Amino acid sequence: MVCALGAALCFGTATVLQAMAARAAAAQGPATGPAKEATLLLRALRQWRFLAGLALDGLGFLLQIAALRSIPIYTVGAALASSLAVTAVVAARLLKVRLSGGEWAAVGVVCAGLAMLGLASGTEGDRGGSAALEWAMLGTAVAVLVLGLAGGRLPGRARALALGLGAGFGFGVVEVAVRLIDSLAPSALVANPATYALLLGGGAAFLLLTSALQRGSVATATAGMVIGETIGPAAVGVVWLGDGTREGLAWLAVLGFLVGVAGALALARFGEAPAEGT
């Protein structure tokens, strides 16, 4: 649980640092021409905050992997969704973003949900993933790409929701695939479909989320992502991988999961750090 919360802290803080770096890069003057995005990225890469954010993302991913190898997927998914609460609190401090009373309450709700999950969660499931599940994850990763292509043609909020859901499914594939990789030997990795599912799902998720945040509502896209990366992987972990709870506390785990995800959804606008003063 400590690793999962550490990953959420890293991801949430990285979002704010990268937003501050992007704002500083934009303040250097408008970028024009076909290489506009590349110019802004190069400017951001000169900002120590952006580099620090990337380092935190890398550390967060390592902590996520460690968490997925020791506690149930449903707990890790809810903890990662709580990174929105971290972003909100850090943004309030560093970006001077004013949180409403309801948003502070949502931060408290997320913390309460995680506390319940921490009390109720059991250990990592003891069932090994079948070959069929490995291929299913690879098929899901491919489907995420197809969903992205189709969703990108939808109008307005429907596009943002579809792309956000696609990104969430992609991140969910990563969560499950980590559990399906038993050996890090090169020969085993090459032969395991879960390896390709992890790479394809993670890459597709990043691209879809970036597109969703650029082309639609941040809140809608982030809400879709939270739903996609929590519910499906949690179900796979419980049904196929043997994730469970402490004796007699299944009800508390379900309640904590629902409460934590609901709190994260209430903070969906922080899926991309807001502009100062909003």
Side-chain angles (χ1 to χ4, degrees), residues 67-243:
L68 286 166
R69 303 298 297 183
S70 58
I71 60 177
I73 292 176
Y74 64 80
T75 302
V76 178
L80 293 181
S82 74
S83 66
L84 295 175
V86 175
T87 299
V89 173
V90 176
R93 175 70 176 175
L94 297 183
L95 296 179
K96 310 301 180 184
V97 174
R98 181 172 298 177
L99 302 185
S100 67
E103 287 170 336
W104 279 116
V107 171
V109 166
V110 168
C111 293
L114 292 176
M116 287 186 276
L117 278 171
L119 290 172
S121 294
T123 58
E124 174 193 3
D126 56 2
R127 295 182 205 160
S130 65
L133 184 57
E134 294 169 357
W135 284 105
M137 288 301 101
L138 181 56
T140 302
V142 173
V144 167
L145 284 177
V146 175
L147 176 61
L149 292 174
R153 300 177 181 178
L154 296 173
R157 295 177 70 88
R159 178 178 61 230
L161 180 59
L163 293 176
L165 277 172
F169 292 148
F171 289 129
V173 167
V174 171
E175 294 174 15
V176 176
V178 167
R179 288 278 297 275
L180 297 176
I181 297 175
D182 295 323
S183 173
L184 296 181
S187 58
L189 288 174
V190 170
N192 191 342
T195 302
Y196 306 102
L198 188 154
L199 296 174
L200 183 59
F206 179 79
L207 292 174
L208 292 184
L209 182 59
T210 300
S211 178
L213 295 178
Q214 290 176 342
R215 301 171 61 191
S217 164
V218 170
T220 300
T222 304
M225 181 190 70
V226 169
I227 292 172
E229 73 177 345
T230 54
I231 297 176
V236 171
V238 171
V239 176
W240 283 285
L241 298 177
D243 288 348

Side-chain angles (χ1 to χ4, degrees), residues 27-42:
Q28 296 177 16
T32 58
K36 175 181 177 180
E37 296 299 328
T39 300
L40 290 175
L41 178 59
L42 288 174

